[in-house]
């Protein structure tokens, strides 16, 4: 499994402080940067919407194509926990047909009389209903694919408690992209974290106009490559807050030791109650805050069969803000949707659930 691939390749590195121009440039040696720089996410002690794996989400979802207003949505397939709904017409959800496969699900839009239009859309195109940006031509705002999670699964997977500390044991998904950093060779590590529900709060009450099923959070770690093979100079961590990306300098972050390298290589972030938006700070003394040490169950994003599913993870509301999130699919850094390529079909992936 991909998480084992990451963890199996661990090599203990070293943290070296190299004197720079008036400041210390920290170099971290690791053979496995995804593991070494994976964040520690501290959750709110009152958090009810815990993380879950993508597999668990899919297994507990009904897969639909959302049609124009006045035309009924079309149920296409069901997750493995919904056996009583599986039949000759409504098959299981095949993750490979959500994301990678050349045999991706395909559906047509509707005319006003609900007759099918000629234009056809595949599940690995960016079709999230009400999504902003570069959706396929002709697709109406309310049209597109979505995974409607069984409401009972919205609260995610309960953390296990170890020595009084609640610990989240759910996969996070990582991908690595080469990127120039001020003219030098660098690497951007992208971590994807999934929750069953986005439920931001004001004065303790959910904000309905921003509440939706399915919540993908993304956090990036930007590294400059060092002179030696396997040496990295951490530059910054990028989080999304209030609809904007924010780059937080590495030397202002709290960090903790874990795995993948010697020393404190994991940035510590705290997730806001309900919305899970990440802030670069640990709450003061919080032994009851669930901790998600994401390096403990890291999976490679790009090898997941659902990777590039361009529909909504979560039910469709009446606007983008009340519709499920899009997952690892978009080229966020460029602010536009990447052209989607089709890949060779791969064997259906084995269960990578957290087993709870
Ligand atoms: Ca639902």
């Amino acid at each position: 499994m991909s998480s084992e691939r990451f963890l199996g390749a661990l090599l203990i590195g070293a943290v070296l402080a190299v004197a720079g121009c008036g400041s210390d440039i920290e170099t971290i040696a690791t053979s496995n940067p995804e593991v070494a720089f994976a964040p520690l996410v501290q959750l709110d002690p009152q958090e009810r919407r815990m993380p879950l794996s993508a597999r668990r989400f899919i297994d507990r979802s009904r897969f639909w194509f959302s049609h124009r207003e006045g035309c009924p949505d079309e149920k296409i397939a069901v997750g493995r926990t919904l056996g009583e709904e599986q039949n000759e017409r409504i098959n299981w959800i095949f993750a490979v047909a959500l994301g990678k496969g050349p045999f991706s699900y395909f559906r047509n839009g509707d005319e006003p009389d609900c007759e099918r239009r000629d234009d056809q859309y595949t599940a690995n195109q960016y079709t999230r209903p009400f999504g902003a940006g570069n959706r396929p031509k002709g697709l109406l705002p309310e049209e597109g694919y979505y995974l409607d999670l069984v409401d009972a699964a919205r609260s995610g997977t309960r953390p296990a408690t170890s020595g009084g500390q609640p610990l989240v044991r759910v996969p996070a998904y990582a991908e690595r992209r080469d990127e120039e950093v001020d003219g030098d060779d660098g690497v951007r590590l992208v971590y994807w974290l999934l929750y069953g529900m986005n439920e931001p709060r004001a004065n303790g009450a959910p904000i309905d106009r921003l509440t939706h099923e399915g919540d993908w959070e993304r956090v990036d770690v930007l590294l400059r490559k060092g002179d030696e093979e396997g040496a990295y100079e951490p530059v910054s961590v990028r989080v999304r807050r209030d609809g904007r990306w924010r780059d937080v300098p590495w030397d202002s972050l709290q960090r903790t030791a874990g795995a993948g390298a010697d020393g404190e290589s994991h940035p510590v972030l705290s997730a806001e109650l309900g919305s899970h938006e990440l802030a670069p700070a640990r709450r003061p003394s919080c032994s009851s805050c669930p901790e998600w040490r994401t390096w403990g169950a890291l999976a490679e994003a790009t090898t997941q069969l659902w990777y590039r599913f361009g529909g909504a993870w979560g039910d469709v509301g009446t606007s983008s803000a009340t519709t499920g999130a899009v997952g690892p699919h978009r080229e966020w850094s460029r602010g536009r949707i990447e052209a989607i390529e089709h890949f060779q079909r791969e064997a259906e992936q084995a269960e990578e659930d957290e087993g709870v």
Side-chain angles (χ1 to χ4, degrees):
M1 264 174 0
S2 38
S3 56
E4 284 168 3
R5 211 190 92 186
F6 275 138
L7 295 170
L10 281 190
L11 183 81
I12 300 304
V15 179
L16 305 166
V18 179
C21 305
S23 67
D24 286 347
I25 298 168
E26 187 182 3
T27 301
I28 294 178
T30 176
S31 65
N32 197 327
E34 285 91 338
V35 168
F37 298 102
L40 184 154
V41 176
Q42 196 182 45
L43 293 151
D44 190 281
Q46 306 300 320
E47 183 62 66
R48 291 172 51 240
R49 305 303 192 179
M50 304 303 291
L52 76 172
S53 71
R55 196 73 191 188
R56 191 176 180 88
F57 195 113
I58 292 168
D59 283 348
R60 286 158 182 77
S61 284
R62 298 175 177 91
F63 182 53
W64 297 81
F65 189 86
S66 169
H67 283 286
R68 70 159 73 215
E69 206 183 336
C71 301
D73 290 357
E74 183 183 359
K75 188 163 146 190
I76 300 168
V78 293
R80 302 281 167 164
T81 63
L82 298 167
E84 67 282 3
E85 297 178 34
Q86 186 264 353
N87 55 45
E88 278 178 10
R89 198 175 60 81
I90 312 246
N91 207 338
W92 303 116
I93 298 172
F94 294 104
V96 70
L98 293 176
K100 285 179 171 276
F103 308 111
S104 210
Y105 293 108
F106 54 91
R107 286 295 182 277
N108 298 60
D110 273 346
E111 302 287 357
D113 61 2
C114 301
E115 284 291 309
R116 298 286 189 259
R117 295 197 305 270
D118 288 341
D119 46 3
Q120 203 164 69
Y121 308 99
T122 58
N124 56 9
Q125 286 181 290
Y126 173 55
T127 68
R128 174 184 174 256
F130 302 110
N134 191 17
R135 284 163 34 99
K137 241 184 172 162
L139 190 68
L140 299 176
E142 62 268 44
E143 288 178 332
Y145 295 94
Y146 65 101
L147 289 164
D148 178 5
L149 180 65
V150 169
D151 292 359
R154 287 173 164 181
S155 289
T157 300
R158 197 146 32 101
T161 301
S162 167
Q165 173 81 61
L167 293 178
V168 173
R169 300 186 194 278
V170 168
Y173 305 92
E175 56 181 299
R176 186 197 305 205
R177 304 169 183 178
D178 288 333
E179 182 171 318
E180 270 196 10
V181 184
D182 299 329
D184 298 329
D185 287 346
V187 169
R188 178 176 295 277
L189 302 174
V190 181
Y191 297 93
W192 298 95
L193 315 173
L194 179 61
Y195 302 82
M197 193 77 188
N198 179 72
E199 203 172 55
R201 292 172 170 272
N203 304 319
I207 308 171
D208 289 345
R209 65 186 168 78
L210 299 175
T211 295
H212 59 81
E213 213 172 62
D215 185 18
W216 279 101
E217 293 290 328
R218 171 181 161 175
V219 50
D220 296 4
V221 177
L222 187 63
L223 309 168
R224 187 181 279 113
K225 284 185 182 167
D227 295 335
E228 315 247 322
E229 180 74 24
Y232 299 91
E233 296 169 6
V235 177
S236 58
V237 165
R238 177 174 289 185
V239 293
R240 191 170 177 86
R241 287 187 68 78
D242 305 324
R244 285 181 47 218
W245 292 109
R246 287 157 205 259
D247 290 313
V248 184
W250 182 259
D251 56 14
S252 73
L253 286 160
Q254 206 175 354
R255 281 163 269 147
T256 189
D262 273 353
E264 299 185 332
S265 60
H266 305 283
V268 178
L269 305 168
S270 61
E272 199 170 289
L273 175 64
S275 77
H276 313 115
E277 284 197 349
L278 294 165
R282 187 196 281 272
R283 293 180 178 83
S285 77
C286 186
S287 58
S288 62
C289 292
E291 281 192 3
W292 192 359
R293 302 169 186 172
T294 59
W295 57 90
L298 209 54
E300 192 179 334
T302 59
T303 61
Q304 305 299 313
L305 295 181
W306 46 261
Y307 182 80
R308 290 181 188 272
F309 169 53
W313 293 74
D315 205 356
V316 177
T318 54
S319 69
S320 179
T322 55
T323 295
V326 72
H329 183 269
R330 298 179 64 166
E331 284 295 305
W332 294 93
S333 58
R334 294 177 190 278
R336 62 183 178 84
I337 311 302
E338 193 190 37
I340 303 307
E341 291 169 21
H342 290 260
F343 293 81
Q344 292 300 308
R345 188 183 174 105
E346 295 172 30
E348 184 70 7
Q349 208 154 6
E351 177 72 33
E352 48 92 331
D353 211 344
E354 57 268 37
V356 179

